[in-house]
Amino acid sequence: QALPKILGPEKNDDAVYLDTCRAKRNTAEYDSVGVVSDHDSDELINFVKSFKEEVLTYLQNKHPALLHAKE
């Protein structure tokens, strides 16, 4: 829910997608088996790889000190 507020309104669809994934994970953990397919997993993995690059670019441009906070 914070994505559009931090990265801009163009990330609203990504926030909705991630919330849908969260709901599926919750159902898979607590209610039923087989809710998440291999395709779902692959899709999320690919999304996260791409999203990671977007977040790192955002941080580099807006808050570079946060990238080096652990060093």
Side-chain angles (χ1 to χ4, degrees), residues 24 34-46:
K24 277 188 178 184
V35 174
V36 179
S37 69
D38 288 343
H39 174 75
D40 291 335
S41 298
D42 292 341
E43 183 179 75
L44 180 57
I45 289 168
N46 290 328

Side-chain angles (χ1 to χ4, degrees), residues 5 11 22 60:
K5 292 178 174 134
K11 292 298 174 190
R22 179 204 54 78
Q60 185 63 46

Side-chain angles (χ1 to χ4, degrees), residues 14-54:
D14 290 347
V16 170
Y17 171 70
L18 289 171
D19 193 51
T20 300
C21 292
R22 179 204 54 78
K24 277 188 178 184
R25 178 202 45 93
N26 189 61
T27 300
E29 274 189 34
Y30 299 109
D31 297 331
S32 102
V33 177
V35 174
V36 179
S37 69
D38 288 343
H39 174 75
D40 291 335
S41 298
D42 292 341
E43 183 179 75
L44 180 57
I45 289 168
N46 290 328
F47 172 85
V48 169
K49 286 178 182 178
S50 174
F51 186 65
K52 176 184 176 184
E53 293 304 315
E54 290 181 54

Side-chain angles (χ1 to χ4, degrees), residues 56 59-71:
L56 290 174
L59 289 173
Q60 185 63 46
N61 292 332
K62 302 286 187 181
H63 304 284
L66 293 176
L67 292 173
H68 306 290
K70 291 183 180 181
E71 295 178 11

